[in-house]
Amino acid sequence: MHAITVTEPGGPDVLAWTEVDDPEPGAGEVLVEVVAAGVNRADLLQRQGHYDPPPGAPPYPGLECSGRIAALGPGVAGWRVGDEVCALLAGGGYAEKVAVPAGQLLPPPDTPDGPLDLVTAAALPEVACTVWSNVFMLAGLRAGETLLVHGGASGIGTMAIQLAKAAGATVAVTAGSPHKLARCAELGADILVDHREQDFAAEVKEATGGKGADVVLDIIGAKYLERNVKVLATGGRLVVIGLQGGVKGELHLGALLAKRGTVAATSLRARPAAEKAEIVAAVREHVWPLLADGRVRPVVDRTLPMSNASGAHRVLGGSGHVGKVVLTV
C-alpha cells in the first residue's frame, strides 16, 4: 500500500506518498481500506518532530479516517467485511489501509438527507470525540451555562459551537477575522470576539453581565492562561487541549481559588484503547442522533488528494480555513 511518510522533521514538503508494508489487524482490530482522512493540528506537530505517535501506533500521520472494513482480526464481533465506517486513530490515517481497534469504529451517521457520505464522515471522529470528552464528559457543560471556545472557526470549534447549542448553552467564540466570526454565528455562536482586536476576557464578561464563562475550551495554552482564569465564572472549568500559544504560563492560584475554579489539561491520542472506546461509545450515543436530526452537521472547508497532504498542511498552517480539511485516497 501507499502512505504519507515524514522523510525528516520539517515543513510540508517533507511529506511523501510512499510505498510501505500493509498493516495486519491484531486481536480485537479491523483492517480499514481508507477512503478519506481528516487533517488535524496534531499532524502538523508530528511532521515537525514535536508529537511522536504513542507506542504501537502506525508511524504515519492521521488521527481519523473513513472507509470500508477489509478484514477482521481475531475476536472482533459486531462488524463485517464491507461495512462502511469512520474511526478514531492513534495514527496511520494518511494511508490506503490502517488497522483500528474495533472499539474505535463508528458507522457513518445518518443525516436528514440520508447516510453521510464517507468523505465527509472522515471529518467527524477526532473533533466529535475531543469535544464530547472534554466539554461534556470532563467539564460537564449544562443547559443555561456559557461555553467559551477559542478558535471557534476550527474543526474543534465548529463542532463545539453546535454541540453546546444543542445542549442549551450560550456560546462565546474567539476567531481572527470578521469572516470567521460570521461563520461561527451561522453555526449558532452568541458572543463573537475578534482576538486580534478585542480582549476576550473583557468582552465575555460584559456580554454575560459580569458572570463570565462556565466552561472554557482552550487550544492556545500559556498565552491565554491568565485571561482564561480571569474570564471564568464562579465554579468555572478551564480545559486546555492545545498549546499553540506556548507550554509554560503562570497560574494565579489565588484567583482560581476565589472562583472555586478548575483547570484540566487533556489529550486524546495516547489514551488507552479502553478509554477511547468509552468516548467513542458516548459519541455514538449522544452526538450521532444530533447529526441524524440535523441539529449538528460536519463543516468541511475543502478536500484534497491524499498525495497532496503537503498542500493540506499548508492550508491548516495558514489558518485561513473554516472547519475541517479532508484528504481523499
Side-chain angles (χ1 to χ4, degrees):
M1 73 167 189
H2 284 79
I4 293 291
T5 60
V6 180
T7 56
E8 62 181 354
D13 289 337
V14 305
L15 299 175
W17 189 233
T18 307
E19 189 169 352
V20 299
D21 292 336
D22 283 16
E24 295 288 339
E29 295 183 334
V30 306
L31 183 66
V32 174
E33 189 174 84
V34 175
V35 168
V39 181
N40 293 279
R41 286 276 174 185
D43 304 337
L44 277 64
L45 292 174
Q46 181 173 335
R47 185 202 75 220
Q48 295 163 349
H50 302 316
Y51 194 23
D52 291 336
Y60 323 118
L63 300 181
E64 60 191 340
C65 75
S66 63
R68 298 176 181 86
I69 294 177
L72 304 177
V76 173
W79 298 99
R80 298 176 298 177
V81 171
D83 283 349
E84 294 190 343
V85 296
C86 53
L88 181 70
L89 308 173
Y94 290 18
E96 292 179 316
K97 297 176 183 177
V98 64
V100 187
Q104 292 166 218
L105 296 175
L106 289 156
D110 291 325
T111 75
D113 299 320
L116 189 67
D117 66 278
L118 280 176
V119 171
T120 307
L124 286 172
E126 177 71 17
V127 295
C129 290
T130 296
V131 173
W132 190 262
S133 63
N134 285 290
V135 174
F136 296 93
M137 296 174 73
L138 177 61
L141 182 71
R142 299 181 292 273
E145 292 191 322
T146 297
L147 169 69
L148 169 60
V149 182
H150 292 303
S154 66
I156 294 290
T158 55
M159 178 58 67
I161 292 167
Q162 296 179 84
L163 289 180
K165 292 301 294 183
T170 297
V171 179
V173 299
T174 64
S177 72
H179 168 68
K180 287 187 174 183
L181 290 172
R183 293 293 303 275
C184 291
E186 291 172 3
L187 293 170
D190 305 285
I191 303 166
L192 309 173
V193 182
D194 186 334
H195 67 76
R196 299 181 189 277
E197 305 290 340
Q198 298 170 293
D199 177 356
F200 69 79
E203 295 294 329
V204 173
K205 282 276 194 177
E206 181 178 355
T208 57
K211 177 186 176 184
D214 299 285
V215 177
V216 178
L217 185 65
D218 178 42
I219 61 173
I220 301 298
K223 181 180 177 181
Y224 278 7
L225 181 58
E226 181 180 356
R227 280 184 288 165
N228 279 335
V229 172
K230 183 178 179 181
V231 80
L232 282 181
T234 300
R237 293 85 74 193
L238 164 62
V239 184
V240 180
I241 61 170
L243 301 170
Q244 294 180 34
V247 300
K248 292 183 179 180
E250 185 170 300
L251 179 61
H252 192 316
L253 291 174
L256 190 66
L257 187 149
K259 294 185 175 188
R260 302 190 299 279
T262 302
V263 178
T266 77
S267 65
L268 184 58
R269 184 180 195 181
R271 294 194 190 202
E275 288 187 21
K276 290 183 182 178
E278 181 183 357
I279 293 168
V280 167
V283 164
R284 185 170 183 177
E285 178 182 356
H286 297 287
V287 178
W288 260 218
L290 299 175
L291 288 152
D293 66 19
R295 283 186 286 171
V296 173
R297 60 182 177 85
V299 179
V300 175
D301 184 87
R302 71 192 72 185
T303 61
L304 294 168
M306 185 81 72
S307 57
N308 189 23
S310 58
H313 279 218
R314 289 189 182 92
V315 171
L316 226 66
S319 296
H321 62 291
V322 174
K324 296 284 293 189
V325 176
V326 175
L327 297 170
T328 58
V329 176

